Amino acid sequence: MDLDFDAEDEEFRRRARDWLAAHVPTVPLPSLETEEGFAAHREWERVLAADRWSVVSWPKEYGGQGVDLVKWLVFEEEYYAAGAPARVSQNGISLLAPTLLDFGTAEQRARVLPAMATGEVIWAQAWSEPEAGSDLASLRSTARRTDGGWRLNGHKTWSSRAAFADRAFGLFRSEPPYEPGFEARYEARREAGSGAAGKPHQGLTYLMFPLDADGVTVRPVGRLDGKPAFAELFLDDVFVPGEDVIGEPGQGWRIAMSTTGDERGLRLRSPGRFLASADRLARRWRAEADPADTALRDRVADAVIGARAYELFTWACASRFAARERIGAESSLNKVFWSEYDIALHETALDLLGAEGELAEGEPAEGDAAGQDWMEGYVFSLAGPIYAGTNEIQRDIIAERLLGLPKGRR
């Protein structure tokens, strides 16, 4: 793994740094989990897209710069170091877009990607259901064929960005034997330990649908701080045209596993995010900490080391991607690490801040020029071990697929 950047990479870094220095808002935007903040972040996506910085690794015809993975990682590092706003379009650009580039049609890419790049259309992730979270294959929402397309029925929950988004993507059960009553039969056989319980991941179809369509009800779900980061979606005979199926009907599981690889792997949490946070934490420590508190000093050092370790692991993955390899189940290692590291980083910051850390959206302090809201970041970090597949499930995947341990409840 060669960690030296060539002249072309360094020139790209300079261009990115100069552009960000000239365009990043000097006053932090309102939280994107509010209606006002969502609109402000959508406008920021438009600013990024105007100079092709919103999706630098995409082909030029869809609004990108066509750069390689190395330059994307360089951009992400500069983006977070500049204290730039969170990406309200992240579900689309980090999850749906790679899926469309791999499995979508030319018509779908031309129709969906440019509007995604500019923030004109913001996407929600509609996968989880009340009884199908990490066990996604247990989902019960259905897609039935009809003239010209499909009819969707069911209930999705914890749909990120759905409170204010325009469209959503998700999986739906579309083929026999998953007819009404199958769920009860499947559960009974599974609880009995029967090997004939069936394969619930079969017969799923990956679909895109508008959130303002007839039959869609969006019910916002508040976080601990009351902000509607998620929403429940109730689908009552919602029509979706055939051109909004991604890949082949019934093959949604295989396609979804590609999406989860991106979600658990490096694209959802680039190292630039953690490098910037660890750097701000270290600067805050140097500015105001008690040098005699060696225990807290060691935790700050651990945060800096963890960010660097994550960066090196990501570069190793990038090298494998460049060699046209896929990381597969190793993405679960990545997901467990960054989600638990994120909590530890924010807990350290809050302990350093003391009572001040309980104040949300305060003024920037010395050593923390970007005005990072550590409390809001902490609240969000608590969800990390849950979304993108709970860490308990990820540890099962690591045990069985990477370590070769026998299957079973742990």
Side-chain angles (χ1 to χ4, degrees):
M1 181 173 59
D2 184 1
L3 294 179
D4 292 328
F5 297 102
D6 60 26
E8 183 179 307
D9 295 331
E10 292 295 355
E11 170 59 20
F12 177 82
R13 182 189 296 276
R14 183 197 63 77
R15 288 198 299 114
R17 184 176 294 173
D18 289 349
W19 189 92
L20 290 163
H23 291 84
V24 169
T26 56
V27 177
L29 301 182
S31 170
L32 60 81
E33 310 298 359
T34 65
E35 187 172 6
E36 175 193 9
F38 199 92
H41 282 77
R42 190 195 290 267
E43 175 61 20
W44 170 244
E45 298 291 334
R46 188 194 65 77
V47 172
L48 283 167
D51 290 326
R52 294 181 178 269
W53 289 109
S54 94
V55 285
V56 295
S57 63
W58 286 13
K60 293 181 179 179
E61 60 264 36
Y62 305 131
Q65 296 189 30
V67 303
D68 60 17
L69 185 57
V70 169
K71 290 183 179 62
W72 176 78
L73 287 166
V74 166
F75 175 74
E76 289 285 294
E77 184 175 329
E78 294 299 324
Y79 188 89
Y80 284 104
R87 302 296 302 276
V88 71
S89 61
Q90 188 169 41
N91 283 330
I93 63 176
S94 297
L95 302 177
L96 179 58
T99 303
L100 288 174
L101 290 168
D102 285 345
F103 299 99
T105 65
E107 184 277 331
Q108 287 174 332
R109 291 191 287 269
R111 171 166 53 93
V112 173
L113 296 182
M116 183 190 296
T118 63
E120 178 184 351
V121 177
I122 303 295
W123 290 81
Q125 183 184 15
W127 282 20
S128 294
E129 299 185 5
E131 296 183 21
S134 294
D135 186 14
L136 185 61
S138 296
L139 65 86
R140 301 181 181 185
S141 294
T142 60
R144 302 299 184 197
R145 289 185 185 272
T146 189
D147 290 342
W150 302 78
R151 292 286 179 182
L152 307 184
N153 287 277
H155 179 190
K156 299 288 185 177
T157 192
W158 305 118
S159 299
S160 57
R161 302 283 187 267
F164 307 114
D166 306 295
R167 292 177 64 84
F169 57 93
L171 283 175
F172 295 84
R173 200 164 294 289
S174 60
E175 294 182 4
Y178 304 104
E179 300 294 343
F182 169 78
E183 295 91 348
R185 297 194 300 274
Y186 171 74
E187 286 297 326
R189 290 197 295 267
R190 186 168 67 171
E191 290 179 5
S194 172
K199 297 180 178 180
H201 61 276
Q202 295 179 345
L204 301 178
T205 296
Y206 205 136
L207 286 143
M208 303 178 284
F209 59 96
L211 291 175
D212 61 354
D214 291 341
V216 177
T217 300
V218 179
R219 182 181 297 169
V221 177
R223 294 188 312 197
L224 288 173
D225 57 9
K227 296 173 183 174
F230 309 95
E232 290 184 282
L233 304 178
F234 298 88
L235 309 174
D236 184 12
D237 220 26
V238 178
F239 175 75
V240 175
E243 56 264 31
D244 279 346
V245 172
I246 302 176
E248 293 296 323
Q251 298 300 311
W253 185 259
R254 178 175 63 89
I255 300 168
M257 290 304 97
S258 172
T259 303
T260 59
D262 285 306
E263 185 177 25
R264 295 167 188 163
L266 82 168
R267 287 197 178 272
L268 187 63
R269 291 290 178 266
S270 69
R273 172 181 179 145
F274 298 125
L275 288 168
S277 293
D279 179 64
R280 289 170 188 145
L281 174 62
R283 284 191 278 116
R284 190 75 180 250
W285 162 263
R286 288 192 291 268
E288 58 188 61
D290 177 5
D293 189 348
T294 57
L296 188 56
R297 178 202 63 194
D298 290 348
R299 290 171 61 193
V300 173
D302 284 343
V304 174
I305 293 168
R308 178 62 171 161
Y310 183 70
E311 179 192 27
L312 294 175
F313 181 84
T314 300
W315 282 113
C317 291
S319 296
R320 293 178 60 182
F321 280 128
R324 298 188 180 279
E325 298 179 27
R326 298 194 71 89
I327 61 174
E330 290 176 50
S331 64
S332 294
L333 287 170
N334 205 22
K335 195 270 172 171
V336 170
F337 180 87
W338 65 248
S339 60
E340 297 188 350
Y341 168 81
D342 200 15
I343 294 175
L345 170 74
H346 282 85
E347 287 178 341
T348 300
L350 293 179
D351 285 345
L352 171 61
L353 293 171
E356 181 186 341
E358 299 179 18
L359 302 176
E361 301 176 355
E363 290 297 317
E366 183 182 356
D368 195 10
Q372 179 155 339
D373 188 340
W374 290 106
M375 176 55 73
E376 178 156 327
Y378 173 66
V379 171
F380 182 78
S381 74
L382 295 176
I386 301 172
Y387 65 77
T390 65
N391 284 7
E392 290 79 8
I393 295 294
Q394 301 316 309
R395 286 188 167 89
D396 278 351
I397 293 172
I398 293 166
E400 295 167 11
R401 301 184 192 176
L402 296 180
L403 302 179
L405 298 178
K407 293 185 177 183
R409 301 284 182 180
R410 293 180 176 84

